[in-house]
Amino acid sequence: QTVAKMLEVWDLKHDKSPTVYSATPVYQNRTNKPAAGMNFVDALGYPVKNGVYLESKVPSQNMSDREMDDYKVTAQPEIEKPTAYGTVPVEFYAVAQEIDDTGACMVWFKCGYDEWNRDVPTGDSDSEAVRHSVTAVDKIMYGGTEYLIIEDSWGFWKSASDVPLKPGQRAITKKFFQKHCYFAGAFTSFDFDGGDKPAWTWKVTMKYGQTSEDIKKLQEVLKYEKFFPSNQECTGFFGGL
């Protein structure tokens, strides 16, 4: 459901028209079946590789895990929207920046039920009773405190604060985020338009995590061969991109 919400926000930001997408095909194709829940790579990767499905054609809202597993999908996917996905640094302001850039960010938390089940989660335990994905959709300042606003498809919580929230929304403080968030990821759109043909001779071995002129030139070659996004800067850093 996090992915379905992210795709809805993506459409609203890029196409200016809200569309509700289904979580069922994503969930059915998780790699950890028959166990419940799923991992973030499965969730983010499926719509990029296989397309997206409309909620009006493939229901998922208010359905249990079992009901989604048992539903027979006969509809065809819509045109793929995001062309790629990737990780976001697990850092409060990095997630806030991702929201500004793409409209939404997947964030995963682990904590205790008593810490999680409230409109503004609080606590600093090391419990992993809750391991849950939500959609971060906004960042606000209220009463001198910064919050990430999340939308959640699961759980019950009570209103114990005066933070202005819409139904289904909750507020995450920077302190809670730093203690309990363990993954952040988002969709993106890459262009592959080639560019000018580069020339370079490599004489060293390049390794993940390094930054060098050799790596920058390799990125330029990959961009020319349409294996590196043309709308991304060749920084010379050998990273996840």
Side-chain angles (χ1 to χ4, degrees), residues 94-111:
V95 171
Q97 183 62 55
E98 186 63 42
I99 294 169
D100 284 343
D101 293 342
T102 64
C105 184
M106 170 187 280
V107 283
W108 285 71
F109 292 95
K110 52 185 178 182
C111 58

mmCIF file of all heavy atoms in Angstrom, residues 94-111:
data_model
loop_
_atom_site.group_PDB
_atom_site.id
_atom_site.type_symbol
_atom_site.label_atom_id
_atom_site.label_comp_id
_atom_site.label_asym_id
_atom_site.label_seq_id
_atom_site.Cartn_x
_atom_site.Cartn_y
_atom_site.Cartn_z
ATOM 1 N N ALA A 94 17.145 14.329 4.428
ATOM 2 C CA ALA A 94 17.239 13.693 3.119
ATOM 3 C C ALA A 94 15.863 13.215 2.664
ATOM 4 O O ALA A 94 15.500 13.347 1.489
ATOM 5 C CB ALA A 94 18.228 12.523 3.164
ATOM 6 N N VAL A 95 15.090 12.660 3.597
ATOM 7 C CA VAL A 95 13.725 12.241 3.268
ATOM 8 C C VAL A 95 12.868 13.463 2.947
ATOM 9 O O VAL A 95 12.073 13.443 1.997
ATOM 10 C CB VAL A 95 13.127 11.429 4.431
ATOM 11 C CG1 VAL A 95 11.631 11.178 4.202
ATOM 12 C CG2 VAL A 95 13.855 10.099 4.585
ATOM 13 N N ALA A 96 13.037 14.538 3.713
ATOM 14 C CA ALA A 96 12.288 15.766 3.440
ATOM 15 C C ALA A 96 12.609 16.302 2.047
ATOM 16 O O ALA A 96 11.714 16.755 1.319
ATOM 17 C CB ALA A 96 12.609 16.816 4.498
ATOM 18 N N GLN A 97 13.889 16.231 1.655
ATOM 19 C CA GLN A 97 14.284 16.690 0.323
ATOM 20 C C GLN A 97 13.682 15.802 -0.758
ATOM 21 O O GLN A 97 13.248 16.298 -1.808
ATOM 22 C CB GLN A 97 15.807 16.688 0.201
ATOM 23 C CG GLN A 97 16.329 17.229 -1.125
ATOM 24 C CD GLN A 97 15.951 18.674 -1.355
ATOM 25 O OE1 GLN A 97 16.233 19.531 -0.531
ATOM 26 N NE2 GLN A 97 15.290 18.953 -2.477
ATOM 27 N N GLU A 98 13.624 14.489 -0.511
ATOM 28 C CA GLU A 98 13.020 13.571 -1.472
ATOM 29 C C GLU A 98 11.546 13.891 -1.666
ATOM 30 O O GLU A 98 11.020 13.824 -2.788
ATOM 31 C CB GLU A 98 13.192 12.133 -1.000
ATOM 32 C CG GLU A 98 12.732 11.094 -2.003
ATOM 33 C CD GLU A 98 13.517 11.123 -3.293
ATOM 34 O OE1 GLU A 98 14.752 11.270 -3.244
ATOM 35 O OE2 GLU A 98 12.892 10.969 -4.370
ATOM 36 N N ILE A 99 10.856 14.248 -0.599
ATOM 37 C CA ILE A 99 9.445 14.641 -0.700
ATOM 38 C C ILE A 99 9.312 15.873 -1.580
ATOM 39 O O ILE A 99 8.414 15.967 -2.423
ATOM 40 C CB ILE A 99 8.851 14.884 0.688
ATOM 41 C CG1 ILE A 99 8.811 13.575 1.489
ATOM 42 C CG2 ILE A 99 7.448 15.482 0.589
ATOM 43 C CD1 ILE A 99 8.483 13.756 2.952
ATOM 44 N N ASP A 100 10.213 16.845 -1.408
ATOM 45 C CA ASP A 100 10.192 18.037 -2.260
ATOM 46 C C ASP A 100 10.426 17.673 -3.715
ATOM 47 O O ASP A 100 9.809 18.244 -4.621
ATOM 48 C CB ASP A 100 11.270 19.029 -1.807
ATOM 49 C CG ASP A 100 10.887 19.786 -0.541
ATOM 50 O OD1 ASP A 100 9.680 19.794 -0.205
ATOM 51 O OD2 ASP A 100 11.785 20.342 0.109
ATOM 52 N N ASP A 101 11.333 16.720 -3.951
ATOM 53 C CA ASP A 101 11.727 16.382 -5.328
ATOM 54 C C ASP A 101 10.686 15.519 -6.043
ATOM 55 O O ASP A 101 10.354 15.774 -7.209
ATOM 56 C CB ASP A 101 13.068 15.645 -5.321
ATOM 57 C CG ASP A 101 14.222 16.538 -4.879
ATOM 58 O OD1 ASP A 101 14.060 17.768 -4.908
ATOM 59 O OD2 ASP A 101 15.272 15.996 -4.499
ATOM 60 N N THR A 102 10.190 14.483 -5.378
ATOM 61 C CA THR A 102 9.315 13.512 -6.053
ATOM 62 C C THR A 102 7.923 13.420 -5.460
ATOM 63 O O THR A 102 7.055 12.769 -6.017
ATOM 64 C CB THR A 102 9.942 12.105 -6.048
ATOM 65 O OG1 THR A 102 10.054 11.639 -4.693
ATOM 66 C CG2 THR A 102 11.330 12.121 -6.676
ATOM 67 N N GLY A 103 7.694 14.022 -4.297
ATOM 68 C CA GLY A 103 6.352 14.040 -3.712
ATOM 69 C C GLY A 103 6.138 13.055 -2.588
ATOM 70 O O GLY A 103 5.258 13.256 -1.749
ATOM 71 N N ALA A 104 6.907 11.969 -2.550
ATOM 72 C CA ALA A 104 6.690 10.954 -1.516
ATOM 73 C C ALA A 104 7.943 10.106 -1.355
ATOM 74 O O ALA A 104 8.752 9.983 -2.271
ATOM 75 C CB ALA A 104 5.506 10.066 -1.869
ATOM 76 N N CYS A 105 8.066 9.498 -0.171
ATOM 77 C CA CYS A 105 9.218 8.649 0.115
ATOM 78 C C CYS A 105 8.772 7.474 0.976
ATOM 79 O O CYS A 105 7.992 7.645 1.913
ATOM 80 C CB CYS A 105 10.298 9.454 0.838
ATOM 81 S SG CYS A 105 11.840 8.561 1.152
ATOM 82 N N MET A 106 9.229 6.273 0.637
ATOM 83 C CA MET A 106 8.968 5.094 1.463
ATOM 84 C C MET A 106 9.914 5.115 2.661
ATOM 85 O O MET A 106 11.130 5.254 2.502
ATOM 86 C CB MET A 106 9.191 3.826 0.646
ATOM 87 C CG MET A 106 9.191 2.547 1.485
ATOM 88 S SD MET A 106 9.659 1.081 0.529
ATOM 89 C CE MET A 106 8.110 0.713 -0.301
ATOM 90 N N VAL A 107 9.364 4.973 3.874
ATOM 91 C CA VAL A 107 10.194 4.894 5.071
ATOM 92 C C VAL A 107 9.747 3.713 5.919
ATOM 93 O O VAL A 107 8.554 3.472 6.089
ATOM 94 C CB VAL A 107 10.161 6.201 5.895
ATOM 95 C CG1 VAL A 107 11.028 7.266 5.265
ATOM 96 C CG2 VAL A 107 8.747 6.722 6.055
ATOM 97 N N TRP A 108 10.715 2.955 6.420
ATOM 98 C CA TRP A 108 10.453 1.779 7.245
ATOM 99 C C TRP A 108 10.897 2.046 8.677
ATOM 100 O O TRP A 108 11.974 2.591 8.911
ATOM 101 C CB TRP A 108 11.224 0.570 6.711
ATOM 102 C CG TRP A 108 10.638 -0.019 5.472
ATOM 103 C CD1 TRP A 108 10.648 0.523 4.214
ATOM 104 C CD2 TRP A 108 9.967 -1.281 5.356
ATOM 105 N NE1 TRP A 108 10.026 -0.321 3.331
ATOM 106 C CE2 TRP A 108 9.604 -1.438 3.999
ATOM 107 C CE3 TRP A 108 9.660 -2.294 6.265
ATOM 108 C CZ2 TRP A 108 8.929 -2.561 3.535
ATOM 109 C CZ3 TRP A 108 8.991 -3.419 5.796
ATOM 110 C CH2 TRP A 108 8.638 -3.541 4.446
ATOM 111 N N PHE A 109 10.050 1.633 9.633
ATOM 112 C CA PHE A 109 10.344 1.823 11.047
ATOM 113 C C PHE A 109 10.287 0.479 11.776
ATOM 114 O O PHE A 109 9.528 -0.418 11.399
ATOM 115 C CB PHE A 109 9.328 2.770 11.689
ATOM 116 C CG PHE A 109 9.430 4.186 11.190
ATOM 117 C CD1 PHE A 109 8.629 4.633 10.146
ATOM 118 C CD2 PHE A 109 10.320 5.076 11.760
ATOM 119 C CE1 PHE A 109 8.727 5.935 9.678
ATOM 120 C CE2 PHE A 109 10.424 6.377 11.301
ATOM 121 C CZ PHE A 109 9.624 6.815 10.264
ATOM 122 N N LYS A 110 11.086 0.365 12.821
ATOM 123 C CA LYS A 110 10.981 -0.755 13.755
ATOM 124 C C LYS A 110 10.950 -0.186 15.165
ATOM 125 O O LYS A 110 11.760 0.665 15.530
ATOM 126 C CB LYS A 110 12.138 -1.738 13.581
ATOM 127 C CG LYS A 110 13.532 -1.139 13.627
ATOM 128 C CD LYS A 110 14.568 -2.213 13.328
ATOM 129 C CE LYS A 110 15.978 -1.630 13.316
ATOM 130 N NZ LYS A 110 17.000 -2.647 12.975
ATOM 131 N N CYS A 111 9.958 -0.644 15.943
ATOM 132 C CA CYS A 111 9.749 -0.118 17.282
ATOM 133 C C CYS A 111 8.742 -1.004 18.003
ATOM 134 O O CYS A 111 8.320 -2.036 17.483
ATOM 135 C CB CYS A 111 9.250 1.333 17.238
ATOM 136 S SG CYS A 111 7.708 1.535 16.324
#
